Amino acid sequence: MHITVVRRVKPLPLGNVLIPSLSIITGILLASLILYLLMNIPPSQFFTYVGEGFVSLETLRDFILLTILGTALIISFKGAVWNIGAEGQITMGMLAAAYVALFTNLSSSPILGKITMVVLALILGGAWGLIAGVLKAYLSIDEVASTLIMNYIAYYILNYLVRGPWKGKHTYGYIRTDLIPESVCFSTLPIRGITITYEEILLLIVTLVFAYVLLYKTALGVRIRILGSNPEALKAAGVNVKLLIITLLTISGAISGIVGAIQLAGYLHRISYPIETHTPYLGYTAILVAWLSMLDLRAVPIIAFIIGSLNQAGRLLQIAGVGGIAVTYLFIGTILMTFTILRVFSEYKIKLIKG
Amino acid sequence: MNTIIHSILAVAPAFTAYYLTALGHGFFEKSGVLNLAIDGVFYLSVAIAYASAIYTGNPYIAMFISALTASIFGILLAFIVTKLPISHGAAGLSLMFLGYGLGALIGNPAVFKFREIKMANIGFSINIPRTPLTSVTLFMVSIVACLVLLYILKGTKLGAAVRASGEDPHAASALGIDVLKIRLLAGAIGYALIGIGAAIFELVWLPTWQQMHGMGHGWIAFAISLSSGRHPILTMLTSTAFATLLTYQYLLQAAYNLSPEIAKMTPFIAAIAAMTIFMVTPLRRKLSPPLSLGKIFFKEERTL
C-alpha cells in the first residue's frame, strides 16, 4: 500500500473558508503545544488569552492597521510578487510623517499638516517598494530577500535619525524624539479604551475602495491577476512586465507607508530608539493576513480581525512575562506552515492505493 | 608583519560563520530548492548554540546540537516542497517565522540560566576561546569544507544527481534519480553546515544573546552565496569581503566617528550591492542559478 497525491477534478468545495479556518485552529493548537513544551505555559492559560484577545477593544487598532496592510500585500501577492518588506515600508512612512510633523511649519495648519504627513509617508513607503521592484524587474534579485534586507536598512536609518539629529530636547534621558505637535495628532474616537482615530478609519475606507477599483475595475487589475497565473501570456500580449512588477511593489509599499504615518500620528506620537523593539511587527503579521485571505479582498478584514486578536493574545502573554514578539513569530510560523500544506488539498487529494 | 597576521586571524570567526552558512545554503539550492528559510533557521541555530552551551557547558556539544536541529529543518523543507505541489517561497517563509519564534523562546530563558551559573561560578563562559590556534583551525575547516563540497559536486555521483535535480528534476527522475532522496540529503548536509556556521557565529564570534541577536545575518549569508553564483571557491571571496567588513566595522566606526547605526546598516547595504554587482556583470551568465530553482516539482498521477 502506498500514498499518492492526485489532482481533484473540481477544487474542494468551500475550500476558501475551510482551509484558512482549519489552518488557524491547527496553527493555534500547535503553538500552544510548543509554548507548553518549551515555556511550560499551560494551554488553558494560553487559550484564555486568545479568548481575551478576541473581545479586547485594543484589538480594534490592530484590526484596522492589519486590514490596510493586508490589502497592500494582496495587491502584490496577486501578481505573485512577494512583498515581505511592509515592515521597512511602514518604517519609512513613519520617518516621512515624523519629518513633516517635527521639522516643518506645516504642523501649524492641522489639515494641511496631516495630509502632507500621509502623502509623504505614501511617497517614501512607495519608494522603498520601488527599489525592490527595480531589483526584481531588471536584475531578477528575489524580492523576498531584498525586501527583507531593506527592512533592516529602514530600521537603522530611522534609528540613526532618532539617536542623532532628531533626538528630542525634552526626553528625560530616553533616546527618542520630542512629541509631535498636538495639531497634527489624529483625533481619537470618544470611546473609553479605544485608540482608534477618525483619520485612520477614513484612510482604511479609501484604501479598500482604491484596492477594489484597482483590482476589479481596471485593466491594470486584470494584468496583475494574469501576472500571478501566467506571466508568459502577458509577455506575449506585449505588456511591459518589468514595469508592472515595479508598479506593484510601489503601490504595495505606498499603502504600507500610510500605516507608518497612522502609527505615529494615531497613538505613538513620538519615535523611540531602537525602533525595531518598539514596533508591533505588523508588517510581518500582515503576510499571514494576506495569505489566509486566499488573496480575496473581502476576506481581508475578517482575517485581519482574527490575526489581530491573536496578536493581542501575544501582547497579553508578554504582560504576563512570557513571549511577546516570540509568540507572535511562533503563531505566524505555525499557522502559515499549516496553511501552506493544507492549501494543497483544495486542488489535490491524498489517496491510499493498495498493492 | 605580526600585526598583519593578527588582523587576518581576527577575521577568521566571522569568515567561517558566513562561509559555512553560505556554502551550505548554496549546496542546498543546487538541488533546486529555493531556500528562504535560511534566516529563521540561522537565528534558531544561534539560539540553540547559545542555550545548549549554557546547559551542557560544552561548546562543541552545542555546535553538534545546533547542526542537528538545523539539519532537521533542511530535511523538512526539502520533503514538503518535493513531495507536495507547494510553493517553495511560502514553505520557506513559514519555516523562517517558525525559526524566529522558536529561537526567541529558546534563547530568552537561557539568559537567566546564564546569569545564575555566572553568579555561582564567575569564570563560566560559553565561548570557544579566540586564540590564534582557533583562528587557524577555523580557516582550515573552511578550506576542507570547500574542497569536500567541490569534490562532491564535481567528482561524485551524488553531486551529479544534486545538480541534475536542480536543473531538471523531471528529466533526472526519468533517468532513475530519486529526486526526493537527493534533495533530503542536500537539505541535511546544507543545513548542517548552516547550523555549524550559526554556532560559530554565536560561540566564537559574538558570544552573547539578546532578542534579535543573529537575526538578518542569514540574509547576509544568502546574499554572499547568491553574489558568488553558489560556487564554493567564489563564495570564499565574497565571504572574505563581508567578514572583513563586519569584523572591522567597529574600528571604522571609531576611526571616522560614525554612528553605530550606520555601521550596523553597512552589511545590509553591501548585501544588496553585492547581489546587484553580480547580476549586472557577465558572471551572472557564467554562474547562472539552477534552472529549476524554486519550481514546483510534482509528478501528476496519470494512472488514476
Side-chain angles (χ1 to χ4, degrees), chain A residues 5-7 34 84 139-140 145 148-150 152 159-160 163 273 276 325-326 329 332 336-337 340 344 348, chain B residues 80 85-86 93-94 97 104 211-212 216 219 222 259-261 268 272 276 279-280 284 298 300-301 304:
Chain A
V5 183
V6 288
R7 196 184 271 278
I34 291 172
I84 309 300
L139 301 171
S140 45
L148 264 162
I149 288 173
M150 285 172 67
Y152 291 95
N159 279 344
Y160 164 73
R163 216 170 130 123
Y273 173 91
E276 65 266 31
I325 181 59
Y329 279 137
I332 296 180
L336 207 55
M337 192 78 243
T340 310
V344 173
Y348 296 86
Chain B
I80 53 177
I86 271 184
L93 270 182
S94 32
F97 282 115
Q211 179 88 288
M212 286 179 73
W219 289 117
F222 178 98
S259 157
E261 309 308 321
F268 292 100
I272 292 207
T276 308
M279 288 298 197
V280 296
R284 176 191 185 178
F298 180 70
E300 290 280 341
E301 207 62 51
L304 288 163

Side-chain angles (χ1 to χ4, degrees), chain A residues 44-76:
Chain A
S44 57
Q45 190 191 358
F46 179 69
F47 291 127
T48 313
Y49 284 133
V50 171
E52 276 179 42
F54 274 93
V55 294
S56 164
L57 285 174
E58 280 288 306
T59 300
L60 290 176
R61 191 174 68 208
D62 276 2
F63 159 69
I64 293 184
L65 298 182
L66 282 175
T67 309
I68 298 179
L69 288 169
T71 309
L73 294 189
I74 67 168
I75 290 175
S76 87

